[in-house]
């Protein structure tokens, strides 16, 4: 029997925080993705009685929750899918507690195990850029599983007040060679979002794009920074130096967040950090 591969290194501080990964997500990024979802659900609701809706890469069920908050007709059906079992367990618990008409399935968005022309609506909230072939494999499945006449909504980050602070901390606390690697494709100007949807089959004339703003809110910026660093700091991999320099990284992140473009503080000391989305609505 071959030995099992050594798991990647994760700093002990991140391990402690990510033991409650769903909770951390809900306290940080999830608050912002919920505002994005609310924005476009307003545009595409109400949902007809026979709606079959995909909450694709559902995370903690952000889109499902926003749809259910519109008090839809009881005959609609939602299928919530993700590849992360921790998120799926969280959604299943909410479905049972609230008696929602939702099926929860472990599925990769690049290989949705459902027939062609299945959904009337397909929502992919802040996830397409994580999918294969720079998003195209996810877009292809969105197109395939949507009924003719159905509506797909996909979005990506446009701006994020905490992006430059995170990069600055990576540069300052990591050895040369580890820090500062740019992602292979930039989604920030919205071009890639439109490109993959057109390549997947949606016609240019059936696509509309717009933007909207949201904000992350932190009563305790140090805590918000630590949770966010545990989540985002290791996306390109962790190393021992990140554990050794953890406290320094968090202090620096707090300072960089305070001075970032898009950060404001109100009279009660509550910190608001802006983010915006490119929102694409396409009809098949
Ligand atoms: C930023 S979260 C967004 C979650 C949720 N849609 C929301 O609005 O809060 C990205 C989600 O995409 C999921 N994900 C990433 N790549 C995936 C893939 N290839 N197939 C299925 N889910 C994926 C992650 O597990 C995570 O739940």
């Amino acid at each position: 029997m071959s030995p099992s591969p050594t798991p990647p290194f994760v700093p002990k501080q991140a391990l402690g925080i990510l033991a409650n990964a769903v909770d951390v997500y809900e306290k940080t990024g999830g608050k912002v993705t919920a505002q994005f979802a609310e924005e476009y659900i307003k545009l595409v609701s109400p949902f007809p009685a026979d709606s079959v809706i995909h909450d694709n890469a559902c995370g903690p069920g952000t889109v499902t929750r926003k749809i259910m908050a519109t008090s839809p007709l009881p005959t609609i059906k939602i299928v919530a899918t993700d590849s992360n079992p921790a998120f799926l367990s969280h959604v299943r618990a909410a479905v049972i507690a609230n008696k929602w008409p939702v099926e929860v399935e472990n599925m990769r968005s690049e290989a949705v195990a459902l027939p062609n022309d299945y959904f009337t609506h397909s929502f992919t909230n802040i996830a397409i850029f994580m999918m294969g072939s720079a998003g195209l494999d996810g877009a292809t499945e969105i197109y395939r599983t949507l009924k003719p006449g159905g509506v797909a909504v996909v979005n990506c980050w446009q701006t994020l007040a905490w992006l430059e602070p995170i990069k600055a901390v990576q540069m300052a606390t990591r050895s040369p060679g580890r820090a500062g690697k740019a992602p292979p494709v930039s989604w920030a100007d919205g071009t890639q979002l439109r490109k993959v949807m057109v390549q997947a089959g949606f016609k240019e004339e059936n696509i509309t794009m717009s933007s909207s703003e949201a904000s992350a809110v932190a009563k305790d910026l140090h805590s918000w920074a630590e949770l966010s660093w545990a989540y985002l700091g290791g996306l390109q991999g962790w190393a021992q130096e990140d554990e050794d320099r953890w406290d320094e990284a968090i202090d620096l992140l707090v300072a960089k967040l305070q001075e970032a473009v898009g950060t404001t503080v109100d009279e009660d000391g509550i910190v608001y950090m802006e983010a915006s989305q490119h929102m694409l609505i396409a009809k098949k």
Side-chain angles (χ1 to χ4, degrees), residues 25 33 57-60 62 82-84 87 107-110 125-127 130:
Y25 178 77
T33 62
C58 62
T62 311
D82 202 282
S83 54
N84 181 331
F87 280 129
M107 270 181 213
R108 292 183 62 245
S109 299
E110 297 89 338
N125 200 34
I126 301 293
M130 299 176 187

Side-chain angles (χ1 to χ4, degrees), residues 10-24 86 227 230-231:
V10 180
K12 61 177 190 254
Q13 301 91 335
L15 272 179
I17 290 169
L18 295 177
N20 296 312
V22 179
D23 188 47
V24 173
L227 298 183
Y231 223 93

